Amino acid sequence: MDARDELIDLLGQVKEQLINSKEIGLDAPILSTHSLQYLRKGPQLDIEPLKENFYCNSLEELENFINNCDRCRLSKERKNIVFGEGPPNARLVFVGEAPGMEEDLTGRPFVGQAGKLLTNIIKAMGLTRDEVYICNIVKCHPPRNRDPERDEIEMCLPFLEAQLSLIQPEIICAIGRISAQSLVREDFKITRERGQWQSFRGIPLMPTYHPAYLLRYPQAKKAVWEDMQEIMKRLGLKDPRELRD
Ligand code: URA
């Protein structure tokens, strides 16, 4: 990638931060040292991965294992761990970024504004929420809705990996930049690479925009619908809109 593209991408990320800050009533973006390091692509953090071994035979066992987790600083302010929900043998798993405020209060993923839009997208695919599995990269709400930081993601990722290996879905849909960067590549560019099949541990993965982004830029809905159609094709689902014609 040339320097110009890199700069455009960086400005896009800063812009997103500014919009997020404005939405929660702040004038200036909150950028932690880690986020700044990340934006500057500076030295990587030396992450200690999860040390203990954990073997879980079911999602319930895994959820119990995670219960009371205090492996990272997100545990300090969270109200509930948002483990994820859906059938244990779901064919399709949506992986978002992190629980928001309403998710933190209810302990359920994607129940706020963005969640309502995700639910409608799922319905438009001819599915219902209880036919798919919905979870996040990190299981606890980052304070002030900030992006989860690199070390928080790395601490939580083994749980998502265990979740996915228990579910063994046919397809993963990575929702938004943070999800795609955590599951595909750290320098994944959602604006340029969404809609292109990737894979995570051998499972086909479709990266798409986050519904929170769609709430701000409804013109991006068309692109998301194209990505969902790709998923539907792969799952052998008919477009309900065609069925109505
Ligand atoms: N945004 C996410 O990425 N996940 C949720 O659960 C809610 C909002």
Side-chain angles (χ1 to χ4, degrees), residues 82 96-100 103 108-111 114 136 210:
V82 181
E97 167 183 327
E103 290 77 18
R108 296 185 56 213
F110 281 99
V111 290
N136 285 298
H210 196 287

Side-chain angles (χ1 to χ4, degrees), residues 15-213:
K15 189 172 160 200
E16 200 160 48
Q17 276 281 354
L18 282 164
I19 293 167
N20 285 343
S21 304
K22 204 157 161 256
E23 277 175 357
I24 57 169
L26 297 170
D27 289 327
I30 306 161
L31 291 181
S32 66
T33 325
H34 293 324
S35 310
L36 283 170
Q37 246 177 21
Y38 179 78
L39 284 175
R40 291 184 195 126
K41 291 235 176 340
Q44 305 276 295
L45 294 169
D46 189 12
I47 307 295
E48 281 276 296
L50 205 63
K51 287 222 177 65
E52 68 228 85
N53 286 327
F54 62 100
Y55 302 99
C56 295
N57 292 314
S58 67
L59 291 172
E60 291 79 48
E61 257 183 53
L62 181 62
E63 190 168 5
N64 287 336
F65 179 80
I66 296 176
N67 188 24
N68 296 326
C69 174
D70 59 359
R71 290 169 180 82
C72 84
R73 67 189 85 81
L74 294 183
S75 63
K76 305 270 181 310
E77 293 184 47
R78 66 141 191 263
K79 303 218 165 27
N80 285 293
I81 292 178
V82 181
F83 178 72
E85 63 185 26
N89 57 351
R91 298 178 69 198
L92 172 61
V93 174
F94 287 93
V95 182
E97 167 183 327
M101 244 152 45
E102 289 175 66
E103 290 77 18
D104 185 40
L105 291 175
T106 56
R108 296 185 56 213
F110 281 99
V111 290
Q113 280 286 95
K116 291 199 175 92
L117 184 48
L118 177 64
T119 306
N120 287 338
I121 293 170
I122 292 168
K123 280 192 199 143
M125 296 170 79
L127 295 167
T128 60
R129 256 184 89 114
D130 25 304
E131 285 177 286
V132 298
Y133 197 90
I134 306 176
C135 57
N136 285 298
I137 295 288
V138 298
K139 314 288 185 217
C140 298
H141 171 54
R144 300 176 304 281
N145 270 343
R146 67 162 169 75
D147 286 350
E149 292 175 2
R150 199 181 135 82
D151 57 337
E152 295 158 354
I153 292 175
E154 298 223 357
M155 283 314 261
C156 217
L157 220 45
F159 301 136
L160 177 63
E161 292 197 14
Q163 224 163 356
L164 291 170
S165 71
L166 287 163
I167 301 170
Q168 299 203 355
E170 285 166 54
I171 293 175
I172 298 169
C173 178
I175 310 178
R177 175 177 59 86
I178 301 272
S179 178
Q181 288 181 341
S182 310
L183 298 178
V184 182
R185 275 194 333 273
E186 211 187 324
D187 64 352
F188 190 89
K189 303 287 180 279
I190 193 76
T191 42
R192 294 210 266 133
E193 297 180 86
R194 58 132 277 280
Q196 298 170 25
W197 284 105
Q198 308 287 334
S199 85
F200 178 77
R201 309 276 184 265
I203 305 167
L205 178 149
M206 174 56 67
T208 196
Y209 289 132
H210 196 287
Y213 178 78

